[in-house]
Amino acid sequence: MQRVSLHYGFADADWEAAREEARQAMIAKAACENTIPYSDLVSEIKSVSLEPHSAELDHMLGEISKAENDAGRGMLTVVVVHKQGDKMPGKGFFKLANSLGHDTTDRVEFWKQELEKVFSVWCESKKGRK
């Protein structure tokens, strides 16, 4: 019997597929200079079932943000926001940003700057494909 590696209780292949579905949904929003609420993002993920404010989703968003930041494209998950209230990313986003060396002393200003960076990357990418 073949052993299946698990990632937060999901088979690695399913986790990777879900992570790419989430990434593509965020890229689509960034390319149009839009944000997406956590609840809408999880509805775009078909490979696994995630709750909007779960540890699993937080972990997935962290993996995506770190990889995108390391690739020089900014923290893509900057586009994932609360549906109500401040309409900004959650605390985990800013905690990760700090761990990646970003100054988040002024969270609103950091969010705006990172959002512009990500929009710029993906809007330019979209223009290049036309």
Side-chain angles (χ1 to χ4, degrees):
M1 179 190 328
Q2 183 180 9
R3 186 178 161 118
V4 176
S5 177
L6 297 179
H7 204 107
Y8 271 92
F10 301 108
D12 283 351
D14 293 339
W15 181 264
E16 290 171 20
R19 187 175 56 213
E20 186 58 21
E21 290 166 346
R23 182 176 170 273
Q24 290 302 319
M26 288 182 273
I27 289 170
K29 290 297 179 180
C32 295
E33 297 187 352
N34 288 316
T35 58
I36 184 170
Y38 290 90
S39 56
D40 292 356
L41 178 64
V42 296
S43 70
E44 296 289 324
I45 300 170
K46 307 298 184 204
S47 297
V48 301
S49 178
L50 297 172
E51 293 297 318
H53 298 288
S54 64
E56 295 86 358
L57 180 62
D58 290 348
H59 185 77
M60 181 180 287
L61 293 176
E63 288 179 0
I64 293 167
S65 236
K66 184 174 181 335
E68 291 294 311
N69 186 76
D70 291 352
R73 294 185 292 262
M75 295 178 68
L76 179 59
T77 61
V78 70
V79 302
V80 185
V81 298
H82 296 129
K83 193 172 204 165
Q84 305 291 322
D86 64 12
K87 298 191 179 191
M88 289 178 53
K91 293 176 187 174
F93 171 81
F94 296 101
K95 184 177 178 182
L96 177 62
N98 279 330
S99 76
L100 295 174
H102 297 288
D103 178 3
T104 63
T105 305
D106 182 337
R107 286 183 171 194
V108 173
E109 188 57 33
F110 171 73
W111 177 63
K112 287 178 181 177
Q113 289 176 1
E114 196 67 11
L115 199 57
E116 285 303 314
K117 178 179 184 176
V118 168
F119 284 171
S120 175
V121 166
W122 294 107
C123 287
E124 288 301 313
S125 175
K126 184 178 174 183
K127 287 177 188 172
R129 289 181 283 186
K130 286 185 178 180

